[in-house]
Amino acid sequence: CDNAKGLKAFYDAIKYGPNHLMVFGGVCPSVTSIIAESLQGWNLVQLSFAATTPVLADKKKYPYFFRTVPSDNAVNPAILKLLKHFRWRRVGTLTQDVQRFSEVRNDLTGVLYGEDIEISDTESFSNDPCTSVKKLKGNDVRIILGQFDQNMAAKVFCCAFEESMFGSKYQWIIPGWYEPAWWEQVRMEANSSRCLRRSLLAAMEGYIGVDFEPLSSKQIKTISGKTPQQYEREYNSKRSGVGPSKFHGYAYDGIWVIAKTLQRAMETLHSSSRHQRIQDFNYTDHTLGRIILNAMNETNFFGVTGQVVFRNGERMGTIKFTQFQDSREVKVGEYNAVADTLEIINDTIRFQGSEPPKDKTIILEQLRKISLPLYSILSALTILGMIMASAFLFFNIKNRNQKLIKMSSPYMNNLIILGGMLSYASIFLFGLDGSFVSEKTFETLCTVRTWILTVGYTTAFGAMFAKTWRVHAIFKNVKMKKKIIKDQKLLVIVGGMLLIDLCILICWQAVDPLRRTVERYGMEPDPAGRDISIRPLLEHCENTHMTIWLGIVYAYKGLLMLFGCFLAWETRNVSIPALNDSKYIGMSVYNVGIMCIIGAAVSFLTRDQPNVQFCIVALVIIFCSTITLCLVFVPKLITLRTNPDAATQNRRFQFTQNQKKEDSKTSTSVTSVNQASTSRLEGLQSENHRLRMKITELDKDLEEVTMQLQDTPEKTTYIKQNHYQELNDILNLGNFTESTDGGKTILKNHLDQNPQLQWNTTEPSRTCKDPIEDINSPEHIQRRLSLQLPILHHAYLPSIGGVDASCVSPCVSPTASPRHRHVPPSFRVMVSGL
């Protein structure tokens, strides 16, 4: 607009032309604002049909200015009505840095203020809107109210496409006064910003444009006697190829406004007593100027643009809403400013989703619960484990008087089972979360389940390690004194371990008790595809110094496990199965340690997945409890079913009747064992086995000699009488007891040194018939055997607890049995059930 030319034309008309009653026109905002501001000095009323700038709405500055076209601010009440209709309570604005758009935004802020609608973010830009668009997305703005021209609109939607701010989750509301198919006109510029046409159209799909209605859609006769549709047809027929103007209807209604205003002014003058005519108006006549101004404010008729009414000089017109659908704009509703009503055309407005977009990300806080089927399955496994533990308890009680069970300390076995059942029971409590119990109950469960699992662990392994400690104390007693360790003492040991647990737990509960805490995680999309975001919530049992308390508990349990490993290693060579569980304890400690380490690590890594965490914790507890109980009781059950005495039968000592009576008198408990005898148990058993093998070999040699002595005289060798003493030396008892190679080796060496003693059945020169052959007679042979066999038996009887090795003289009657001789006891052994 040329401000100078416009102002010159106005002043020339005022100075050189006739007196004007009113001023009609004014399109350029800059020229119109200057003229409207000076009209009060000439008492002239101005009516514009195309000036939409909001600046002219200031009635203090422009009291004589009117317009038949709604101002740009007139869309704000319509936008407010639209927001309320779809219940959008949170919006953001994106404004081009131009005065016209800034004024509309400022007015919109005032309109929305106090209407319970939040403007969460206000962004503006000069040339590049992408930064502002990104900020809107960062502030989770879903409903964007834009004020920018059509050239910038293309850039804005390109940025929206890049930021994925389109589709079912977003709604753009922009000016609707752009040129028809404006996106095609600016496509080349959009392409320069690396935005393809299809990308631009995809981002534009569904936007809503807001603008005043150029012609009324109602088929009602106007003040001219024509309907808006009849007027439009007549206008199109007379414009003779000239492009249509969106303001022609307002110009047409403006003429009617002026006519009606002058008519009312003339009626007012005619009814007055002054008898003044309208033709008598001059620029200094304030009275007539005020009459025309009041007549203008009283304008109210239905024109081709709708109801024509002024409020503070502003046209209360009709605002239309259009929506971009499939590359074209479709009218979806209109707002009547006079009646303050919004009408949405049925089934015309179309959103990308199944419902209108949300004004913000709807955050649905959802408590992550433990799956009921998973809880049921693990509970069933836990019940099976408890049934198994009950079966072991029944077995242990029923067979408590059996020697095998009695030696394995049935009371300690009961404590092991009790600890396992407590550990099983804790699984039920670990699976109860906010979906099953209240917050207060959950907080109580935090403490209860910790206590139960801790006490159950200590009870089971404490009893197991106490049993092993008793075996260690008995078999590793270096003072060789008799030691009596009753079950009551073992119970005291287990009680001491539990007392330490209770001290730790009570201090924990008193100083820093466990509380229910809720951890909120990042938002996740709705699995059902709804336009909402899920914010998972997870309940935890925590306190201020959780790490310290867990470190104390883990340290104590770790020391307990190390103590158990030490005892199992120290008693590994005790070869009485009924007493020694070191192998099974080692296996149990290994499995429990590995599973606990793995379980704790995986449980920490999956703390945001309650189902996985509960499954791992439950399986670790079930596995550790089950493997511990099975390792302790299954071997005993199998042994008791197959061979009840197998655990003690091959370890049993034979004692004299006097020793048994003496031991029975000194025994005060079934759990006491004489350390002096048991400390030599392993060595005696090994020596006993070696001597038994030696006896077997000597029996074979003796059998061969016997067979040779029983042969016929023709096939039997003879032995010189001067060699009888040497043969007796071979059979001497000391050689059999001192030599580790046995009597066979001594006999062989002796024959090698005295080859003349070797028997030969083939040399005829050695088989001469002389009186010495009488020594090979059956009588001599029988006599020699009666003397030699007892001597041999006397030789190795001392090695197995028989007669002394010095009693080997042939003077002893061969018929006297070693069992009936008195043997001074060199040691005593008392064996009883542990």
Side-chain angles (χ1 to χ4, degrees):
C1 296
D2 192 339
N3 295 339
K5 291 182 179 181
L7 291 175
K8 185 177 183 301
F10 172 74
Y11 287 116
D12 288 344
I14 294 295
K15 183 178 181 180
Y16 300 109
N19 290 336
H20 301 281
L21 298 176
M22 298 177 64
V23 177
F24 182 62
V27 177
C28 184
S30 58
V31 177
T32 303
S33 60
I34 295 175
I35 295 175
E37 189 175 3
S38 61
L39 290 177
Q40 188 176 4
W42 285 287
N43 294 311
L44 287 175
V45 175
Q46 181 182 5
L47 178 65
S48 175
F49 58 88
T52 61
T53 176
V55 177
L56 299 172
D58 187 359
K59 298 311 295 180
K60 293 182 179 181
K61 192 175 183 179
Y62 311 103
Y64 283 79
F65 179 81
F66 292 83
R67 49 188 167 190
T68 56
V69 60
S71 73
D72 293 336
N73 286 344
V75 300
N76 290 335
I79 292 175
L80 173 63
K81 207 71 175 179
L82 182 69
L83 296 177
K84 289 183 176 182
H85 178 78
F86 291 109
R87 300 179 181 178
W88 290 328
R89 301 293 181 184
R90 185 174 181 271
V91 299
T93 61
L94 181 63
T95 308
Q96 184 179 355
D97 283 335
V98 176
Q99 182 181 5
R100 175 185 181 183
F101 301 121
S102 299
E103 290 174 352
V104 175
R105 181 198 61 194
N106 295 337
D107 181 74
L108 177 63
T109 302
V111 171
L112 298 181
Y113 181 77
E115 295 291 339
D116 195 24
I117 295 178
E118 173 192 0
I119 301 179
S120 59
D121 192 13
T122 300
E123 297 293 335
S124 60
F125 64 93
S126 297
N127 187 38
D128 183 13
C130 290
T131 303
S132 299
V133 171
K134 185 178 296 185
K135 290 181 179 180
L136 290 173
K137 183 179 180 179
N139 291 324
D140 190 34
V141 176
R142 298 288 197 89
I143 311 301
I144 304 100
L145 307 179
Q147 287 293 331
F148 35 76
D149 59 31
Q150 63 186 25
N151 293 323
M152 285 297 175
K155 293 183 178 181
V156 168
F157 283 112
C158 284
C159 296
F161 180 82
E162 294 175 0
E163 297 294 333
S164 299
M165 290 185 66
F166 64 96
S168 61
K169 296 183 179 181
Y170 296 91
Q171 182 60 60
W172 289 84
I173 301 175
I174 64 174
W177 44 261
Y178 300 158
E179 296 292 334
W182 60 269
W183 55 90
E184 297 292 347
Q185 300 177 18
V186 299
R187 182 164 58 87
M188 296 303 297
E189 184 177 353
N191 286 337
S192 64
S193 61
R194 299 181 181 180
C195 184
L196 300 178
R197 181 178 183 274
R198 62 175 179 270
S199 301
L200 178 62
L201 294 177
M204 291 169 54
E205 185 68 24
Y207 80 75
I208 294 177
V210 186
D211 192 18
F212 53 82
E213 183 73 271
L215 290 175
S216 176
S217 59
K218 297 180 179 180
Q219 296 182 357
I220 300 175
K221 287 186 178 182
T222 65
I223 192 174
S224 64
K226 301 177 183 178
T227 64
Q229 292 76 24
Q230 291 173 343
Y231 162 78
E232 184 178 19
R233 286 194 296 270
E234 186 178 353
Y235 170 77
N236 290 331
S237 64
K238 291 182 178 181
R239 59 190 176 87
S240 301
V242 179
S245 171
K246 62 182 299 184
F247 299 106
H248 65 87
Y250 293 100
Y252 182 78
D253 284 342
I255 299 298
W256 281 101
V257 169
I258 291 175
K260 295 294 291 183
T261 297
L262 293 177
Q263 183 182 5
R264 282 190 295 274
M266 293 173 62
E267 292 174 353
T268 301
L269 291 174
H270 181 70
S271 62
S272 66
S273 58
R274 295 178 59 184
H275 303 287
Q276 187 178 7
R277 297 182 306 167
I278 194 78
Q279 293 86 348
D280 299 334
F281 173 76
N282 58 62
Y283 298 131
T284 60
D285 192 346
H286 296 285
T287 302
L288 188 55
R290 178 64 61 179
I291 291 175
I292 296 175
L293 179 63
N294 292 336
M296 181 72 74
N297 282 321
E298 295 175 359
T299 301
N300 188 354
F301 64 87
F302 184 78
V304 295
T305 58
Q307 195 71 26
V308 180
V309 179
F310 297 109
R311 183 177 298 171
N312 294 327
E314 292 295 306
R315 166 73 187 273
M316 304 299 293
T318 301
I319 305 300
K320 70 172 181 177
F321 294 95
T322 59
Q323 188 179 36
F324 189 77
Q325 300 176 1
D326 299 328
S327 300
R328 63 189 183 91
E329 292 182 330
V330 179
K331 182 179 178 180
V332 295
E334 65 179 29
Y335 168 75
N336 189 333
V338 177
D340 191 24
T341 58
L342 175 66
E343 180 184 357
I344 301 296
I345 302 175
N346 295 333
D347 301 329
T348 55
I349 193 166
R350 187 172 64 190
F351 296 104
Q352 300 297 302
S354 58
E355 58 182 358
K358 306 296 181 182
D359 57 3
K360 61 181 178 180
T361 300
I362 303 300
I363 301 176
L364 179 61
E365 292 188 341
Q366 190 176 79
L367 182 65
R368 285 187 172 176
K369 306 174 183 178
I370 293 176
S371 172
L372 183 59
L374 176 64
Y375 182 75
S376 302
I377 293 173
L378 293 176
S379 297
L381 293 176
T382 303
I383 293 174
L384 292 177
M386 298 184 75
I387 293 174
M388 180 196 69
S390 301
F392 287 149
L393 180 62
F394 175 77
F395 164 79
N396 190 68
I397 295 175
K398 180 181 179 182
N399 300 281
R400 64 185 181 276
N401 294 324
Q402 293 286 339
K403 190 171 184 180
L404 174 64
I405 303 301
K406 185 180 291 185
M407 293 181 69
S408 65
S409 300
Y411 292 112
M412 294 296 102
N413 292 341
N414 292 341
L415 287 181
I416 294 173
I417 296 172
L418 177 61
M421 296 188 74
L422 288 176
S423 300
Y424 282 129
S426 66
I427 297 176
F428 297 110
L429 303 182
F430 276 105
L432 297 177
D433 55 13
S435 60
F436 297 101
V437 297
S438 63
E439 295 182 3
K440 186 176 181 180
T441 305
F442 180 83
E443 192 166 289
T444 304
L445 289 177
C446 289
T447 302
V448 173
R449 68 191 188 186
T450 303
W451 282 56
I452 290 179
L453 182 60
T454 303
V455 171
Y457 178 92
T458 303
T459 302
F461 283 93
M464 187 185 303
F465 297 157
K467 287 173 49 179
T468 310
W469 171 82
R470 176 162 62 184
V471 176
H472 175 268
I474 292 174
F475 283 88
K476 297 297 180 179
N477 185 12
V478 296
K479 295 182 179 180
M480 304 294 292
K481 293 181 179 180
K482 182 169 66 175
K483 200 166 189 176
I484 300 175
I485 302 177
K486 298 182 179 181
D487 284 345
Q488 288 80 352
K489 188 170 184 178
L490 301 185
L491 292 175
V492 171
I493 294 175
V494 177
M497 296 179 183
L498 291 175
L499 184 61
I500 297 175
D501 268 334
L502 292 178
C503 291
I504 295 174
L505 293 174
I506 291 173
C507 293
W508 189 349
Q509 183 66 22
V511 176
D512 193 12
L514 289 171
R515 302 292 184 187
R516 175 185 178 270
T517 60
V518 178
E519 184 176 2
R520 288 173 169 81
Y521 292 89
M523 292 183 293
E524 300 175 353
D526 180 40
R530 297 174 297 175
D531 186 19
I532 61 176
S533 293
I534 306 297
R535 184 186 294 279
L537 303 180
L538 193 58
E539 294 175 312
H540 294 294
C541 295
E542 293 182 350
N543 54 12
T544 306
H545 305 289
M546 189 71 175
T547 305
I548 297 176
W549 292 109
L550 288 179
I552 294 173
V553 173
Y554 289 159
Y556 172 56
K557 301 303 179 185
L559 291 175
L560 187 62
M561 297 289 281
L562 290 177
F563 178 65
C565 293
F566 168 75
L567 293 177
W569 176 260
E570 287 291 309
T571 60
R572 66 190 184 281
N573 292 323
V574 177
S575 55
I576 303 178
L579 297 177
N580 187 22
D581 291 332
S582 60
K583 179 175 69 174
Y584 303 121
I585 291 175
M587 295 172 61
S588 178
V589 170
Y590 174 79
N591 286 285
V592 171
I594 294 298
M595 290 302 298
C596 288
I597 293 173
I598 295 176
V602 177
S603 176
F604 177 79
L605 295 176
T606 58
R607 57 177 287 136
D608 59 334
Q609 304 177 38
N611 285 321
V612 178
Q613 187 182 44
F614 171 64
C615 182
I616 292 173
V617 171
L619 290 178
V620 167
I621 295 176
I622 291 174
F623 176 82
C624 294
S625 301
T626 304
I627 199 67
T628 300
L629 293 176
C630 288
L631 287 174
V632 172
F633 291 99
V634 169
K636 294 179 176 57
L637 190 147
I638 295 175
T639 303
L640 194 62
R641 294 297 181 186
T642 56
N643 189 2
D645 296 329
T648 57
Q649 192 174 36
N650 59 348
R651 304 293 192 267
R652 192 172 299 159
F653 293 97
Q654 300 295 333
F655 302 100
T656 63
Q657 190 66 25
N658 294 333
Q659 287 176 321
K660 292 183 180 179
K661 291 181 180 180
E662 183 180 355
D663 292 338
S664 62
K665 293 179 181 179
T666 58
S667 177
T668 59
S669 171
V670 294
T671 60
S672 63
V673 178
N674 191 303
Q675 182 62 31
S677 61
T678 53
S679 62
R680 300 174 56 190
L681 178 62
E682 298 176 7
L684 291 175
Q685 289 174 347
S686 177
E687 182 70 14
N688 187 24
H689 178 72
R690 185 181 64 81
L691 293 176
R692 286 177 182 273
M693 295 298 296
K694 184 189 296 184
I695 291 171
T696 303
E697 295 177 358
L698 293 176
D699 284 341
K700 291 181 180 180
D701 293 341
L702 184 60
E703 184 178 358
E704 292 178 1
V705 174
T706 303
M707 292 299 296
Q708 293 176 5
L709 292 174
Q710 290 178 352
D711 286 343
T712 59
E714 290 79 12
K715 297 181 180 180
T716 305
T717 62
Y718 68 92
I719 303 176
K720 296 182 179 180
Q721 288 186 351
N722 56 351
H723 294 151
Y724 271 97
Q725 184 62 37
E726 296 180 5
L727 183 59
N728 287 331
D729 294 337
I730 294 174
L731 299 176
N732 187 276
L733 300 178
N735 292 334
F736 286 104
T737 58
E738 296 175 1
S739 175
T740 58
D741 295 332
K744 183 177 180 179
T745 305
I746 297 174
L747 181 60
K748 182 178 182 298
N749 293 336
H750 188 81
L751 293 178
D752 290 340
Q753 295 173 4
N754 302 277
Q756 66 274 18
L757 295 179
Q758 297 183 5
W759 304 328
N760 192 344
T761 59
T762 57
E763 294 183 9
S765 61
R766 302 291 298 271
T767 59
C768 57
K769 302 297 182 179
D770 53 25
I772 200 172
E773 292 181 354
D774 293 337
I775 64 174
N776 293 325
S777 63
E779 292 81 2
H780 286 272
I781 293 174
Q782 183 65 30
R783 184 175 177 224
R784 287 197 300 270
L785 289 176
S786 65
L787 292 174
Q788 293 170 352
L789 291 179
I791 292 174
L792 287 175
H793 285 287
H794 279 257
Y796 50 79
L797 275 176
S799 300
I800 59 173
V803 299
D804 193 276
S806 61
C807 300
V808 295
S809 174
C811 63
V812 181
S813 174
T815 59
S817 173
R819 294 183 304 170
H820 297 86
R821 296 193 185 95
H822 175 70
V823 180
S826 59
F827 57 87
R828 294 181 302 173
V829 178
M830 179 182 67
V831 178
S832 60
L834 293 182

